[in-house]
Amino acid sequence: VIGNACREAGASLVRVVDGVTAGVQMVNGRARLNLITPVRAYGALNLALPGRHQALNATTAIRLLEVLSSTRDFTIGPEAISIGVEDAIWPARLETIHVSSVEVLLDGAHNRAGARALAAHVLETYGRRLPLVVGVMRDKALDQLIAALVPAASHFVFTAASTERAATPPELLAVSTRVAPDVPAVVETRPVRALITAAEHGTPVVVAGSLYLAGEIRSART
């Protein structure tokens, strides 16, 4: 589909992995990326954003900048690229904060792919399941999202952001009962109170399911 769209638009298609050698070593939840592209060897890049999946994201961004430098009237050198991937800040993407003295791993995962990446990160970094506070918009694929979180969930506490789009905690509990009957689950309408409840089962507490929810939790951080 993408190839056809490129041909129709007269655009070139660059496949990120073509001609690329990438070695990934995880250090405290962050990727150390040893990258060689068709343009240059970057050596070891210590990615600022947590998660193994950020290695491919960074490679994609780097290849884009290389292509832009070869086709446009500006140059983005290797030093600027290194600074970009090593100093990047992305709130609510595997971000660690504290709320009411509770350590929180905050992620805006709001679809199945994001939930899978979050679950994989939790298991790889912490080596165990963690309690999850989850709030999701009603128009999302609720079954798929909650099922993707199950491998990393010791307990679910379902809550809701302050928007009419949000699925209610009882609605999320009903989905969880169907797709994850073995994971203990409760509801708590107030997000910060949901954190306190989840922390009774261990920390850090993972918050996921919605950027709306992530925003409310970030505003309460201490």
Side-chain angles (χ1 to χ4, degrees), residues 17-177:
V17 298
D18 287 355
V20 167
T21 301
V24 179
Q25 178 185 6
M26 297 302 296
V27 181
N28 297 324
R30 287 176 166 80
R32 178 173 294 163
L33 175 63
N34 286 281
L35 184 65
I36 303 173
T37 74
V39 175
R40 65 176 62 91
Y42 288 90
L45 300 169
N46 296 303
L47 305 188
L49 300 180
R52 181 178 291 274
H53 58 285
Q54 294 298 349
L56 180 57
N57 289 345
T59 303
T60 302
I62 289 169
R63 291 294 291 127
L64 171 62
L65 294 174
E66 289 177 344
V67 171
L68 286 174
S69 294
S70 69
T71 59
R72 305 292 179 181
D73 294 330
F74 59 86
T75 299
I76 304 170
E79 182 178 355
I81 288 174
S82 296
I83 291 171
V85 298
E86 293 188 333
D87 291 355
I89 298 173
W90 196 353
R93 296 295 183 182
L94 296 177
E95 179 184 22
T96 299
I97 62 173
H98 287 82
V99 177
S100 298
S101 300
V102 175
E103 183 181 354
V104 177
L105 179 64
L106 183 63
D107 196 82
H110 55 85
N111 55 39
R112 180 168 58 178
R116 284 177 172 172
L118 171 59
H121 176 77
V122 166
L123 294 175
E124 180 174 41
T125 303
Y126 297 94
R128 68 185 191 278
R129 292 183 168 190
L130 298 176
L132 268 70
V133 171
V134 178
V136 191
M137 298 299 103
R138 185 178 286 109
D139 57 354
K140 299 295 183 178
L142 303 180
D143 290 52
Q144 295 179 8
L145 194 152
I146 292 174
L149 292 172
V150 167
S154 64
H155 296 75
F156 281 126
V157 181
F158 293 109
T159 190
S162 300
T163 171
E164 293 181 355
R165 283 187 57 205
T168 67
E171 287 172 335
L172 296 174
L173 179 61
V175 173
S176 178
T177 300

